[in-house]
Amino acid sequence: MKRMFVYGTLRVGMYNYERYYKDYDSFRGNAYVKGELRTIRGKLYPALIPGENMVLGEIHEVPDDIQDAVDLMEGFLGEGRPENEYDKIISTIYDAQGKAIACLPVYFYNLRNPKNRELLGDVIMCSDYVTYYRTCILSGAVE
């Protein structure tokens, strides 16, 4: 089994959660990671880049083969690969009070890839992709 921190479309109720995690009772709790949540032009999923904001997400635990499939979906081809869409980086995970509770893999948008840098969009000010998705994307407030 592998534990991951997720902040975007793998969170409970989102479309990739339904596709990959739903059948495994994977949710272990809400948590936070330090970073900055951004939109990606032309995509319906977010980018997490280094920063100091507390970004809301979830801890999930799934079988190794499922997480391996998620790695492929996330464009993670291997550690340090320049063509990765996302890098998987072990990061400190925090509870709602800001106390460190774990160190887990987190998908950070690969800014070493020039194509990715060009697609980076606006800051998601609420630092919560599910709220942003429901209030801005589904409502049509953002294209």
Side-chain angles (χ1 to χ4, degrees), residues 69-121:
V70 170
D71 283 351
L72 291 176
M73 181 270 299
E74 294 284 2
F76 175 71
L77 305 173
E79 190 161 335
R81 302 271 301 265
E83 66 273 24
N84 285 343
E85 183 171 14
Y86 289 86
D87 290 318
K88 195 161 48 168
I89 299 172
I90 303 296
S91 303
T92 303
I93 307 303
Y94 301 89
D95 66 13
Q97 290 72 43
K99 178 183 171 198
I101 58 171
C103 287
L104 295 173
V106 179
Y107 294 110
F108 276 83
Y109 199 58
N110 177 12
L111 295 176
R112 297 181 326 277
N113 184 327
K115 177 182 154 191
N116 288 356
R117 283 195 309 273
E118 290 173 13
L119 294 175
L120 203 57

Side-chain angles (χ1 to χ4, degrees), residues 56-69:
L56 179 61
E58 300 167 354
I59 297 171
H60 287 265
E61 187 171 11
V62 294
D64 293 3
D65 62 322
I66 297 303
Q67 193 55 52
D68 292 345

Side-chain angles (χ1 to χ4, degrees), residues 10-142:
L10 286 163
R11 286 180 55 196
V12 171
M14 296 295 288
Y15 56 91
N16 279 323
Y17 168 81
E18 297 293 321
R19 181 175 179 193
Y20 292 99
Y21 286 176
K22 183 179 179 180
D23 293 340
Y24 298 96
D25 190 27
S26 65
F27 179 76
R28 297 295 178 261
N30 291 314
Y32 296 83
V33 70
K34 286 185 180 180
E36 182 175 86
L37 208 52
R38 304 280 293 268
T39 62
I40 303 172
R41 289 183 191 93
K43 308 290 184 182
L44 290 177
Y45 53 85
L48 178 67
I49 63 172
E52 292 302 314
N53 297 331
M54 294 299 271
V55 175
L56 179 61
E58 300 167 354
I59 297 171
H60 287 265
E61 187 171 11
V62 294
D64 293 3
D65 62 322
I66 297 303
Q67 193 55 52
D68 292 345
V70 170
D71 283 351
L72 291 176
M73 181 270 299
E74 294 284 2
F76 175 71
L77 305 173
E79 190 161 335
R81 302 271 301 265
E83 66 273 24
N84 285 343
E85 183 171 14
Y86 289 86
D87 290 318
K88 195 161 48 168
I89 299 172
I90 303 296
S91 303
T92 303
I93 307 303
Y94 301 89
D95 66 13
Q97 290 72 43
K99 178 183 171 198
I101 58 171
C103 287
L104 295 173
V106 179
Y107 294 110
F108 276 83
Y109 199 58
N110 177 12
L111 295 176
R112 297 181 326 277
N113 184 327
K115 177 182 154 191
N116 288 356
R117 283 195 309 273
E118 290 173 13
L119 294 175
L120 203 57
D122 298 329
V123 174
I124 297 174
M125 297 303 291
C126 66
S127 295
D128 176 351
Y129 187 71
V130 172
T131 295
Y132 172 81
Y133 184 83
R134 290 180 180 155
T135 59
C136 296
I137 294 176
L138 290 181
S139 71
V142 173

